[in-house]
Structures are given as C-alpha cells and as structure tokens.
Amino acid sequence: MDAMIPKPKFYGFTSLDSCDVFAFPFGGIPLVIRRDFYQVEHVLEWQTMTDFFSWIGYKKKANELFLDSDPSKSGRVNVCAYWKATWTGEGAKAFPIGQSACKVVEQHLQDEYPSLQHTPHEFVWLEKTLNSPPKANMRAWKNGNERLSVFNRQSMIRNIAGTRRTRRDIDKAKERYLDLKYLLGARRCMRSPAIAAIMKEQVNRMGDILDKIDRELPSDPKDKNNPWVSQSMGALWKEYMEERFRIANSRTEKDMDEYFEELRDTWSKSPTTGLATKHFAQEIRKLHAEWMKEKRIPWKKPW
C-alpha cells in the first residue's frame, strides 16, 4: 500500500513511549521505519462524513417531515428516511453531474472522497497512537460513555489519581501521561501546514459535490410526482465542519488542561518521595512546558 503513495510523509514523535521526548519532525522520514508503528490514514475521516447526515437529522431538521419518495405511499417521513430513500438503496437513480458519467449518489460521493487510486498524495503515514483514538475521535461528540483512553474522563481521573478504594499507581498514571502526549501530537499533526492544506482541499471538495448532488437531484428524481427538495446541503456541510473544528480545538485544550492539572496535583504539587516519583514530577513539568508551547500556536480552521 505504501508503494502507492508518492513521497510518503511520516508524522509522529521520534520516541513513542518516552515521557520526556517530544521531538516531532513534521512530515519527515524516521531513521528507522517501523511499519507496525504507523498507519496510512485519511486526513478527513469517513466517520466525519457519515456523522454529517446524522447531524442533519437530529440537530438541523429534527422537526421537519417530508413526503415519502415511495409513490405507493402518501405519508410523511423524517429527513433521515427521506434522504436514505432518495439518495441510497436499490431504487436510487443514476444521473450525471456536469460532464460526468451517470452515477448513483453514493458513487458520486465515493469518487470525490480521497482514495489511494485517485488521490494517493492526500494520504499520510501517522503513528498509530496519534491516529486512534486522538485524531480519529477529537471531532466526535462526547456523550459520557466513551471507552477510549483520553476521551474517557472517569478512566483518566481514576488512573491518574486513584480512588478512595485504590491507591494511586505511577505506572497507570504514566500510561495516561502518554495519552496526553499523543493528544498533543495529534494536534501538532492536524495544524501543520501540509495536513491543513490537505484538509482544506478535502472539505471543500466534499462540500462541492454535496451541493451539486443536492441541486441536481430535483431535476432528475426517482418519482416525478414527488421529487427531492433541495436541503442546502453545501451550506449545511460548511456549518457542520465548522462545528466539528470548534469541537476538536476546544475539547483538545480542555482535556490537556484538565488532565495536566490532575497529574500535577497528584504527583508533583504535593511533597514527593522516591526517585521514581521525583523523576515523574519532572516529566510532568516537561509535559506542561511542551503543551504551553503548543497551545500558544493557534490552530486555525484551514478552509
């Protein structure tokens, strides 16, 4: 797979499991390439695409009803059922957009979404620990049930500070420390100029095809008596992605700030004993310095 990527770029720390090494060559090739450390990754997650339609259903048009696109039915359906019946399924009609061939909606979307066949230059090698969960889930909504390390508050606090029933454990605390290091690394990666340029291209391209599908479908509906009604999908996509960016930016800062304070208060603020604990306190101060340096660099919306 890597042979398909021209001039592959690698993103990650020079030392993954060290608590005091934060060197991060942007897009450089490691001295020793461990394929099991890296994953070939999309910059724009497919999950972000699919969540867009769910977001429309529960946030933007939750109270709207639409005529069923099935001509044999006369009732009304919610926007998700309306979209699925018109855009997907066995009855989906193929149609051209501009000079393109006739394709169903799903194929129009797939042809614009990044692929190793069509846009190999838009893929990067990303360290696994930075890719998932930090990068893959930083835009997702929190619902209190996350099981993914840094996005699970209960687990983070318990492993950093212990509980009333369990004493604090330096090994578990260091694991959570590394989770914060990886989250910091994911932010560094996503705000880098090269990655931001790819994200801009992909967000704009997907917004453009959504807008074209939305405007083209009314003129070529499956049911001439009950056509698709344009929903301003291009504008909604832009609004959705801006919200996703705000979430990624704010939740990263909130998580880094909150869990650093928990580490500091538990392991370095109070008097410490033992060489291992004193050394860990020094590493926590190093993490704070690296985070403050990173936080001062604005993470700007790329599109």
Side-chain angles (χ1 to χ4, degrees):
M1 181 182 291
D2 51 316
M4 301 176 66
I5 303 176
K7 299 180 180 179
K9 294 183 178 181
F10 292 76
Y11 291 83
F13 293 103
T14 56
S15 178
L16 273 178
D17 299 327
S18 172
C19 288
D20 56 6
V21 176
F22 287 85
F24 193 97
F26 288 92
I29 297 179
L31 295 177
V32 178
I33 299 176
R34 290 282 303 277
R35 299 303 190 196
D36 55 325
F37 282 2
Y38 294 87
Q39 292 175 325
V40 178
E41 274 304 310
H42 289 93
V43 174
L44 176 64
E45 300 280 348
W46 181 247
Q47 177 184 335
T48 303
M49 283 291 305
T50 57
D51 284 349
F52 168 60
F53 297 98
S54 299
W55 174 82
I56 291 175
Y58 83 82
K59 187 167 185 177
K60 303 305 295 184
K61 297 180 180 290
N63 298 319
E64 295 185 39
L65 294 176
F66 302 84
L67 288 173
D68 198 316
S69 61
D70 186 340
S72 67
K73 299 178 182 178
S74 59
R76 290 181 175 269
V77 296
N78 64 30
V79 69
C80 289
Y82 179 58
W83 163 72
K84 288 180 181 179
T86 311
W87 285 39
T88 66
E90 295 181 359
K93 187 177 179 64
F95 61 97
I97 292 180
Q99 300 301 314
S100 78
C102 285
K103 295 179 282 189
V104 296
V105 170
E106 288 180 291
Q107 192 61 54
H108 280 298
L109 288 172
Q110 289 174 11
D111 286 350
E112 295 301 320
Y113 188 71
S115 69
L116 288 172
Q117 290 72 33
H118 299 116
T119 54
H121 59 284
E122 293 183 356
F123 286 77
V124 297
W125 284 93
L126 184 61
E127 277 179 347
K128 290 182 179 180
T129 50
L130 274 62
N131 180 47
S132 181
K135 180 253 184 186
N137 292 275
M138 58 170 44
R139 291 181 177 80
W141 295 278
K142 282 190 175 182
N143 57 25
N145 297 318
E146 289 77 14
R147 298 180 180 179
L148 300 170
S149 58
V150 74
F151 298 130
N152 184 321
R153 186 178 186 279
Q154 183 179 6
S155 174
M156 288 291 290
I157 298 297
R158 181 176 64 247
N159 286 312
I160 289 172
T163 67
R164 292 180 180 178
R165 296 183 179 181
T166 60
R167 299 179 62 182
R168 67 181 190 177
D169 184 316
I170 193 170
D171 292 330
K172 290 182 178 179
K174 284 194 172 188
E175 290 177 1
R176 301 291 77 82
Y177 175 107
L178 289 174
D179 285 336
L180 294 181
K181 174 182 174 179
Y182 303 148
L183 180 60
L184 186 155
R187 185 187 191 273
R188 280 184 179 175
C189 175
M190 294 306 294
R191 69 161 178 79
S192 67
I195 298 297
I198 294 173
M199 176 64 88
K200 177 181 179 179
E201 170 63 27
Q202 294 178 353
V203 169
N204 289 340
R205 189 168 70 236
M206 297 312 298
D208 183 58
I209 191 62
L210 283 166
D211 182 61
K212 288 177 178 177
I213 291 169
D214 185 43
R215 288 186 287 106
E216 185 66 25
L217 267 175
S219 65
D220 195 3
K222 287 193 298 182
D223 174 17
K224 295 293 184 181
N225 298 316
N226 189 11
W228 166 264
V229 177
S230 177
Q231 301 296 313
S232 301
M233 299 292 273
L236 286 172
W237 170 255
K238 182 177 180 180
E239 180 184 347
Y240 165 78
M241 285 306 302
E242 290 186 354
E243 180 183 294
R244 301 271 62 73
F245 176 78
R246 289 194 300 271
I247 287 175
N249 201 356
S250 62
R251 82 182 300 184
T252 298
E253 290 194 5
K254 180 180 182 299
D255 287 345
M256 289 296 302
D257 289 340
E258 177 182 3
Y259 299 135
F260 163 74
E261 289 181 6
E262 196 69 33
L263 279 167
R264 180 196 60 194
D265 292 347
T266 303
W267 294 97
S268 64
K269 194 172 183 179
S270 57
T272 57
T273 58
L275 289 177
T277 304
K278 290 181 179 179
H279 183 62
F280 189 35
Q282 293 175 349
E283 291 173 332
I284 291 170
R285 289 192 287 273
K286 179 69 177 291
L287 173 66
H288 182 249
E290 290 292 330
W291 168 232
M292 289 297 97
K293 182 168 61 176
E294 172 65 25
K295 189 178 180 180
R296 284 193 292 269
I297 302 174
W299 184 9
K300 298 180 180 179
K301 181 182 67 177
W303 56 88

